Amino acid sequence: MAATSAEGTPPPTDPKTTRTVIAGSVGNFIEHIDVGLYGYLAPVMADSFFPSHNHTVSLLSTYGVFALGFLVQPVGGLIFGRIGDRVGRRTVLITTIVLMGVCTTCIGLLPGYGTIGLAAPALLLLLRMLQGVANGGEYGSALTFLIEYAGRGRRGLYIGFASMGVFGGLLVGAGMSSLTSALLTQEQMSGWGWRLPFLTALPLAALGLLLRSGIDDTPEFLASRREGRIAKTAPVMDTLRTQWRVLLMFTAGAMTNAVLSYVWVTYLPQWLDSEGGLSHSAAFASNAVALAVYLPFLVLAGWLSDRIGRKPMLLTGCVCVVVLVPLSFLIAHGQTFGSALLAQLVYLVPEFFIAVPLAAWLPEMVPTEVRVTTTALGFNVPFSLFSGTAPLVATALVGWTGSLYSVCLYLGGLAVISFLVILFGMRETAHGSLAAGAVDTGPAPAALATSRPGRTDEAPSPIPSPQKG
């Protein structure tokens, strides 16, 4: 039997740890392959499902479907949060990965408007909404799963690997889009070529299912179930009643990252293609290279947030949004591959400071009994409202003002709000015990030090209210 850490998890060198991290992250990887593909290929897909004499109208319609897929994610959080808190985290992770793989593959097989008329955009919308439901349950469950397996001092690091799954999926989506665009003519891409990358989702989901089927649920959840401390019949109501302050604070803090990430992923490559003087393949290739450079820094960000705390990194990231995003957009007007790449690397600096600490912060704030539900709702609300609409809002702003800098004003305003909420409302969570959701900033509680191996929490503590950190 492998040794366990102070919080009941295997040490970092244990082979079980590696499998656990991969299993927890693979769903995020597959989910964001689809997000990346849809965002990158939206200009090509637009005329297949929304034929119009005005390409901008078709593109906005395609982005609208993209946004609706995000807007239903809170529904997935409600459904799968209940299952995750009552039945187990593993059950949710197995279900969501199957649903995501099937829906993404079906998009690749879906006939276009010219074949089945209005049924084509209707079915595309249905599939995107089903994906949204699955994604709404996946992310909160995966973060909870990894946070509960990680010992104190490693939670940010584990979330760093989960974030690698997110951005790694986007990288694969970018790579598939770039490769397909480079190998096929524009006519072939518009006709059938855009479908090919979507068809890879099914074998990837099968591999993910195999990985997740071979893991146990988290020691923390199993301990709660043994002691009769699983969620009550209405974990959603318990969450809204006891965690509403945390949810409101997190929404205000997270909205900046929600827009920041998806303007970069889904809108900026399209702008570089249509307005930035680059070819379609060069625009998306620059995005892929930037993603590849960024990936190892996600683990570094997680490690650093375990050392200096979530709050200092998040505050720094908000300042960087105000200062560096306008600089990034200025560089993007250079109309060369090098300027496009440099612009995106500058743009990723605030992402480095925000993405991983934000993902670790929320599940650390809440108790085991409602951790999946709270984390799912906490992420799905701001990300459904702000991520899914990001390319739509960016396209509309630039179309209205004629300037890419209008997006800077949108992002800058959100960053100021997030900065103030984090500064005055956030409690530091990096250095305390995860036990029953009680986060402290001092030494480990004596009860934790004497707990039996595999035990991750003691009697429930009062749920902490957000306060100045």
Side-chain angles (χ1 to χ4, degrees), residues 140-391:
S141 300
L143 292 183
T144 297
F145 181 83
L146 291 170
I147 282 286
E148 290 182 350
Y149 258 111
R152 190 189 309 197
R154 299 207 310 272
R155 296 194 293 261
L157 180 65
Y158 273 43
I159 296 301
F161 285 107
S163 296
M164 280 190 73
V166 171
F167 287 95
L170 297 175
L171 174 61
V172 171
M176 287 180 178
S177 301
S178 299
L179 181 61
T180 308
S181 297
L183 294 177
L184 301 178
T185 66
Q186 186 173 356
E187 182 179 348
Q188 289 172 326
M189 278 295 295
S190 300
W192 52 268
W194 66 265
R195 300 176 180 276
L196 298 179
F198 285 93
L199 300 180
T200 62
L202 198 59
L204 288 174
L207 177 61
L209 178 61
L210 181 63
L211 283 169
R212 288 182 168 181
S213 297
I215 57 174
D216 297 325
D217 222 315
T218 69
E220 181 133 349
F221 174 78
L222 294 175
S224 294
R225 186 165 62 184
R226 283 196 304 269
E227 297 168 13
R229 293 189 292 104
I230 62 171
K232 297 177 183 178
T233 55
V236 174
M237 297 306 298
D238 286 347
T239 293
L240 295 177
R241 178 174 54 83
T242 63
Q243 305 298 319
W244 63 271
R245 291 184 181 87
V246 173
L247 289 172
L248 286 176
M249 181 178 64
F250 184 80
T251 297
M255 61 187 182
T256 298
N257 189 56
V259 175
L260 185 70
S261 298
Y262 283 87
V263 164
W264 172 51
V265 169
T266 62
Y267 178 74
L268 193 55
Q270 186 269 329
W271 182 89
L272 290 169
D273 175 22
S274 60
E275 306 290 338
L278 269 67
S279 67
H280 183 79
S281 58
F284 289 98
S286 70
N287 192 264
V289 174
L291 269 167
V293 173
Y294 181 49
L295 277 178
F297 285 95
L298 290 162
V299 178
L300 176 61
W303 176 86
L304 186 61
S305 75
D306 283 332
R307 298 302 178 270
I308 69 173
R310 321 296 186 217
K311 188 169 183 175
M313 292 192 68
L314 291 171
L315 291 173
T316 302
C318 290
V319 173
C320 287
V321 170
V322 176
V323 175
L324 295 181
V325 170
L327 175 61
S328 169
F329 286 175
L330 176 64
I331 298 171
H333 282 81
Q335 298 191 335
T336 67
F337 181 87
S339 64
L341 177 58
L342 179 59
Q344 292 177 79
L345 293 177
V346 172
Y347 190 100
L348 284 171
V349 174
E351 274 283 332
F352 169 82
F353 286 102
I354 294 176
V356 177
L358 186 73
W361 173 28
L362 181 58
E364 288 177 328
M365 279 290 291
V366 295
T368 305
E369 292 87 337
V370 292
R371 187 168 288 133
V372 177
T373 301
T374 307
T375 303
L377 286 178
F379 273 94
N380 287 325
V381 170
F383 278 78
S384 65
L385 291 175
F386 293 98
S387 292
T389 58

Side-chain angles (χ1 to χ4, degrees), residues 451-463:
S451 61
R452 65 179 177 268
R455 173 80 174 267
T456 58
D457 48 15
E458 297 294 327
S461 306
I463 298 168

